[in-house]
């Protein structure tokens, strides 16, 4: 597919995800880590304006000189910005004004692409599209978080496509023999800088589950007192659990002795057959400890990944997010994309049911803080 | 005017104040003390539903059983509620749904009032209307606060009626001789419980200004280093100033050496002739100290108030908000209206340009914390 | 008694209070509001050095140029200082070094006083001695607080003189007729600036208890659910109670169903006959509400005070700490002594068993925040 | 050396380190992470009492039943304890009482060891001695932190042995060829569980410096604006720097344009020849980025460590603290020693001038949070 069509398709998909929203739903920010839908719509647009239109479209003038301040996320090289925690303080620009901004930038990008694309433009547009896809996933998880905190538990979409991917399709273990393996992206397509440079690691023999942990297995952990036995937990995890009085995965509620959870199609009873989601790294580690097993490293995961099905949950690994040997960051703002976050976060591998189509690969490295669980995070075990 | 007409008029006025708003503007809560417009609309409605319809309209069923949890403000007797700081987390119910709730309750109240009003109903409806008027003022000041924090400085209404009351109409001093005076509400109309019981105080002779302090006078204070001389400030005030880096009244911004401020009609240059607004008690005290004068007590203010014009600014007094002798609080939830706040707040007297029509009297006692300044607060001096 | 003898006596008394302490006990600061004994010893000395020796003793050189930074409390005019919360971070100067500092300053002060005292010196020395007496009381209450938080509950002094003043000596009520009364210090002795100017107030008739509330009465309040009924509490008081899980006065502990408390002679069972101590203003207000009575204002207290015995507890009044009419603060640092604290604190009247000999009078105004209760605070009721 | 002699020698060394202290110096806790000397003395003693005497010495009775609550550090299996941040709140037990506790436990341990040592006892005593050595290092760094925050900058010991290890003894690079290497402790002596199991890693070729970064090199970084260029810093590091206004390594002060630092022998001018110390991981990473080099991984460090001199600084690696393959934690309280901290900390390798004699080896893994720098932390670079 050519780049213009790809651009149109991905940009349109973002707006499609917003179709079930009322204007009020675009505005709210419940916590610092989850941004308003309006902000996602505008920020991804700002990305194209800032890194494509301004440097490459001759004569382009910034659409609104206040917007860079409002919609820059974390690029110090791109100037000052609204504090992350304050993104929900902005009722203006309105939703309509943000859609107008999108339309304007889309038109200009297509004008630029029609001029015949030079290499630099091509690579930044592709980065921008991948960036937009990452925000599509965040859009869904942030909306879920906002609705999940509302005592009315609003339905996002009663027929959401996310519903079809809740069951493990295979069971069993895969054994990987010890040896030296290659890690990192290989190929000619797009990848993020953090998937490079491709390099060798030595792995000892291990056996990894083909299936992910289910709600039913996790319920056993809860009922066995998993949340009250400090010996199962990392010290930080135990403090987190005590401070926030954590007793179950995110969105789980016990009503009259039965477990329910909030989902994008509303409040519903926990199905033990379904694959567990919305656990923190701390919970994943405690569960593995309780099972007498462990989480894979990101290298084990990558090596074994062609022998099991993945893509329904982001899977916690026990690897810290660190640079690969020979990792290189780009110059300027684009160099801030990944590298500066390489401390105190854990790597997730795979992809989730909220991941956009064609936005996953075995070498993809996602990363979150150990306490975060508003993504569709799950657990795969190793022995 | 009969009660039904009064009810209709006051309820309609609330909605009138919201006319310039976009749906997005109804949702945002920037700080704990300023609530979203949507919340004000719903909370005042909940007040009538809870304290009038449920006890007095036979067969009335709560409109939505989730709403009491969402829209109770601080009445412990009326059950649990959303934390004040989380009012802005709720995108639902939507603005339309809140207006539908208002319509429903209005209809039922009018049905009840048409049945012939008993005394108890009458007094709670009147309290509810005065309550709604208080929220009308908050609605305006909370909207102003939200817009004033938005880097786009949106215009609420370019022709707002608030513009006509910015100039002192009289100058001079009034001298009040020493003696015993009566304080508190006297008459047959409505008053809050905190204006009772009427009682005597002894006042020493004092002279009070007929005019309020202007921007021009306050600019002199700023330019004389008022914000850098700790000897002028209360200890708490000085800590507040240092912690929040306060250098001017709320909404003031220095741009290229000139002072501007955000107003409901947009960003505009400070007019030295205009009456000062949006200062904290700390600032009022420091300014008075700098002038070698002082603030009145609330008793001095009340006694002198028939000898000067007031109603443009809420005026800080150096009286703490405490019960009058023989103060009695009502039973149950209504008793929580005023009495439980009688500690660590200062009394303001008068009314402001944001006060609703027919919602002011000389005995009215407003009260805020010493650091708060998002109301139209001003300064009147005594020597 | 002449001033030198008075000086010696009061300075020695401070050191007497420290006799039961080990070197380690002089150092610790458990909370911001309670300072280490070492700091009290040094700060009171710094007061004499700074406000007497430096201005009035010719050729005096500061004992240690680091000490002003270490031992200034809150006098902005006297320069920068260690943050209040950090007073317990200083192991040096050692206790011995602080005693040496005291000895040095004492010698110099006596040298100065022997030169023949001029008026200015006299008044500052007298202020310094009253200041030292205030710190003597704080010394005791701060030591009690430190020991009271230590799981070992150390004994300060098993035979402490404080033990003899725990019982009410009279019972009954005093009725005061309505009228105009004079308030404030009158006489030729020492008083603080906040006791002036003497002025008139009008009081309505009231009846005040001659006795203070006892532990036994307060136990009834606890057992009747006083700490669980929000209708009895100020809103701030209820938040305070919920946040800190307050269920009884400070130092009270329930062990196997019986109430005990920490005292300066150790851990002992509550005696219902003893006068209640260590309650906050919030608790005093809630108790009065429960009794259907109220606290006196500071004016009522002062007018009635010659008709009951007082001096065992600091008694909470329902008066905010505010300036009297015609209050004047001194120039410079001494002017910071009282006036700058006149907001958001409540007045206590009387004196406590920890108050130094000859340091109380009917016009004395003490003041603390509504939540503070580490002083010997009690309750006297009015109907 | 036999175990009794080793026990006596190590226990005595702890007390030797305390010889320069005054009683007041044993008590203070300036920040949560640095404990009072008194606490270290007692905690290491509690370790022997709890894990050796109680389980293995027949008839042993706990010395003081309050001490476990006071001196347990973080062992959930050993019961409740004083909050870490509150260790400085305890003036009692006194220093003398703590030394008496040590004497008592020492006597009993020697009594037990004289009975003929069984394997279990032997291994816990050896662990206790290594534990005590770790606290010896903390004792020194915690004292330094306390004195370093005191405006008097007290001298710990003007002739401290730490002074002789400030200069690099060799210069140059070591090149390590790519290959599979073995990592982890190998041998029959003592090691911590986190150094096991021994396992293989693949390393790509790298060159590592033989010398550590000096003050002089770091001064160049400061002067080149290293602390103001966000592109050099991890995102978290930049936030840390902005929040705490970090402009230089810990203990550095700029006085009249010259850099000085607090050391255990007092306040002295920075010597550019000396090896840099007291930098955080964030600073180490920013410095490496500025140099166009990088930090080693802990595996690279271990493999290369026999080709350079180390032991003067704890050296930051860019490895997160995670379990080795086949890591096993012990049952019960001892299992809490290391494993539960394996998240969000970075590995340091080597040893420092504050490390006790015979308490270092190439496989030793120390670990701290990325912002911590009160240990003698330094930088070794890789290209």
């Amino acid at each position: 597919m050519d780049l213009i069509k790809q651009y149109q398709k991905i940009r349109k998909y973002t707006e499609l995800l917003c179709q079930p929203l009322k204007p009020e739903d675009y505005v709210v920010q419940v916590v610092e880590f989850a941004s308003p839908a309006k902000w996602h719509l505008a920020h991804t647009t700002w990305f194209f304006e800032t890194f494509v239109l301004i440097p490459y479209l001759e004569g382009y003038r910034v659409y609104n000189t206040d917007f860079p301040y409002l919609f820059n996320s974390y690029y110090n090289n791109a100037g000052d910005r609204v504090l992350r925690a304050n993104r929900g303080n902005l009722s203006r620009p309105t939703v309509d004004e943000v859609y107008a901004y999108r339309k304007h930038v889309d038109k200009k990008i297509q004008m630029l692409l029609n001029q015949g694309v030079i290499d630099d433009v091509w690579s930044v547009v592709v980065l921008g599209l991948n960036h937009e896809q990452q925000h599509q996933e965040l859009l869904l998880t942030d909306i879920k978080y906002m609705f999940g905190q509302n005592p009315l538990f609003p339905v996002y979409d009663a027929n959401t496509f996310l519903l079809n991917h809740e069951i493990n399709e295979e069971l069993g273990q895969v054994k990987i023999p010890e040896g030296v393996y290659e890690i990192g992206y290989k190929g000619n397509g797009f990848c993020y800088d953090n998937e490079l440079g491709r390099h060798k690691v030595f792995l000892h023999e291990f056996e990894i589950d083909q299936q992910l942990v289910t709600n039913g297995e996790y319920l056993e952990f809860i009922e066995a007192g998993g949340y009250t036995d400090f010996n199962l937990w990392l010290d930080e995890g135990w403090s987190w659990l005590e401070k926030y009085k954590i007793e179950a995965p995110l969105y789980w509620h016990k009503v009259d002795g039965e477990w329910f959870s909030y989902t994008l199609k509303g409040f519903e009873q926990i199905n033990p057959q379904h694959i567990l989601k919305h656990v923190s790294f701390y919970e994943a580690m405690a569960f593995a400890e309780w099972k007498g097993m462990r989480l894979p490293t990101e290298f084990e995961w990558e090596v074994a990944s062609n022998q099991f099905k993945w893509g329904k949950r982001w899977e916690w690994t026990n690897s810290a997010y660190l640079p690969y040997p020979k990792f290189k960051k780009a110059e300027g703002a684009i160099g801030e994309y990944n590298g500066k976050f390489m401390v105190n976060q854990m790597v997730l591998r795979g992809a989730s049911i909220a991941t956009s189509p064609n936005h996953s690969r075995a070498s993809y490295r996602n990363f979150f803080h150990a306490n975060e669980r508003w993504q569709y995070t799950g657990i795969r075990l190793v022995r």
Side-chain angles (χ1 to χ4, degrees), chain A:
Chain A
M1 188 167 38
D2 75 19
L3 190 57
I4 294 188
K5 283 206 182 122
Q6 214 181 326
Y7 179 90
Q8 290 167 335
K9 190 175 173 187
I10 289 173
R11 293 282 288 172
K12 194 174 167 184
Y13 186 69
T14 308
E15 301 181 7
L16 209 70
L17 290 173
C18 293
Q19 265 188 353
L21 303 185
K22 304 285 183 189
E24 295 89 336
D25 299 328
Y26 285 88
V27 181
V28 167
Q29 180 179 34
V30 175
V31 283
E32 183 166 354
F33 60 72
S35 299
K38 203 169 57 135
W39 186 88
H40 285 296
L41 289 170
H43 164 69
T44 49
T45 304
W46 165 87
F47 192 98
F48 284 109
E49 185 181 47
T50 303
F51 299 125
V52 181
L53 294 182
I54 293 173
Y56 300 113
L57 182 60
E58 213 183 306
Y60 182 77
R61 292 217 320 225
V62 170
Y63 181 73
N64 180 321
T65 53
D66 285 316
F67 283 10
Y69 181 77
L70 298 181
F71 300 125
N72 179 3
S73 54
Y74 58 67
Y75 299 89
N76 290 313
N77 288 288
D80 287 342
R81 58 198 168 277
V82 168
L83 283 180
R84 183 172 188 145
N86 294 345
R87 289 176 186 167
N89 290 353
L90 304 172
S91 65
R92 309 290 179 92
T94 63
V95 174
D96 286 348
E97 288 164 347
V98 165
Y99 276 114
Y101 176 42
R102 288 183 71 88
K103 192 168 280 179
H104 174 86
V105 166
D106 285 354
K107 207 176 107 192
K108 295 292 183 179
I109 288 280
Q110 291 170 64
M111 183 185 305
L112 176 67
L113 294 181
N114 276 323
Q115 291 174 4
V117 185
I118 56 170
D119 273 10
D120 280 1
V121 172
W122 190 90
S123 72
V124 189
V125 170
V126 169
L127 178 62
L129 292 174
N130 278 275
H131 172 258
E132 180 120 4
Q133 288 179 309
Q134 289 185 298
H135 279 277
Q136 288 165 358
E137 181 155 5
L138 291 170
L139 194 56
L140 271 177
T141 54
D142 292 0
I143 289 167
K144 181 169 182 180
Y145 195 83
M146 173 183 65
F147 281 164
Q149 304 298 312
N150 189 317
L152 304 175
F153 292 128
V155 172
Y156 164 72
D157 178 359
N159 302 304
T160 171
F161 55 92
L162 305 178
L163 305 178
N164 313 316
H165 306 279
E166 299 286 8
I167 309 278
N168 282 307
E169 293 164 54
E170 54 189 10
L171 295 174
Q173 283 78 39
V174 173
K175 182 179 285 187
I176 306 292
E178 86 163 36
V180 173
Y181 293 91
E182 297 232 331
I183 292 293
Y185 182 74
K186 183 184 181 181
N188 301 310
F190 172 83
C191 78
Y192 289 110
D193 55 1
N194 64 9
E195 302 167 52
L196 302 170
R198 190 159 165 90
H199 66 287
K200 295 179 192 153
V201 302
F202 183 93
L203 296 183
H204 289 265
E205 184 186 278
F206 65 99
E207 258 183 69
I208 188 164
D209 282 351
Q210 291 183 283
Q211 72 280 9
L212 293 163
V213 171
T214 63
N215 288 336
E217 292 173 278
Y218 203 81
L219 275 166
E220 287 177 40
F221 168 70
I222 295 178
E223 281 155 20
Y227 283 90
T228 60
D229 179 3
F230 49 73
N231 279 314
L232 301 172
W233 294 78
L234 288 166
D235 189 57
E236 266 191 18
W238 186 250
S239 300
W240 168 79
L241 169 163
E242 289 202 311
K243 181 170 179 185
Y244 297 104
K245 308 197 186 312
I246 306 292
E247 297 176 338
L250 185 61
Y251 302 126
W252 286 36
H253 300 264
K254 203 168 196 171
V255 181
D256 298 335
E258 300 284 335
W259 283 104
F260 291 77
S261 82
Y262 174 72
T263 76
L264 285 173
K265 58 173 184 149
F267 202 68
E268 54 178 34
Q269 199 163 355
I270 293 291
N271 182 333
Q273 253 63 54
H274 284 185
I275 309 173
L276 175 70
K277 52 181 182 273
H278 297 303
V279 289
S280 66
F281 174 74
Y282 300 133
E283 288 163 302
M285 288 289 281
F287 179 82
E289 181 78 17
W290 178 72
K291 276 288 201 189
M293 298 172 81
R294 65 173 177 83
L295 303 183
T297 66
E298 63 167 321
F299 310 113
E300 290 170 336
W301 191 96
E302 186 170 329
V303 166
S305 63
N306 58 355
Q307 303 197 36
F308 52 73
K309 298 205 170 171
W310 54 266
K312 294 176 176 163
R313 302 284 181 269
W314 281 108
E315 309 178 20
W316 285 111
T317 72
N318 197 6
S319 291
Y321 182 49
L322 292 168
Y324 284 173
K326 301 173 226 159
F327 167 72
K328 283 220 178 341
K329 64 174 199 181
E331 286 295 304
I334 296 295
E336 298 184 55
Y337 203 96
N338 272 311
K340 73 179 185 180
F341 301 110
M342 290 179 173
V343 66
N344 291 337
Q345 306 212 47
M346 299 306 290
V347 172
L348 298 105
R349 287 302 194 100
S352 94
I353 53 179
T355 309
S356 299
N358 304 312
H359 189 70
S360 59
R361 57 194 163 270
S363 62
Y364 199 109
R365 306 171 81 200
N366 210 337
F367 50 93
F368 284 96
H369 294 101
N371 63 313
E372 291 174 327
R373 52 186 196 160
W374 92 113
Q375 298 305 305
Y376 286 79
T377 46
I379 308 175
R380 187 185 302 275
L381 294 176
V382 164
R383 70 192 70 221

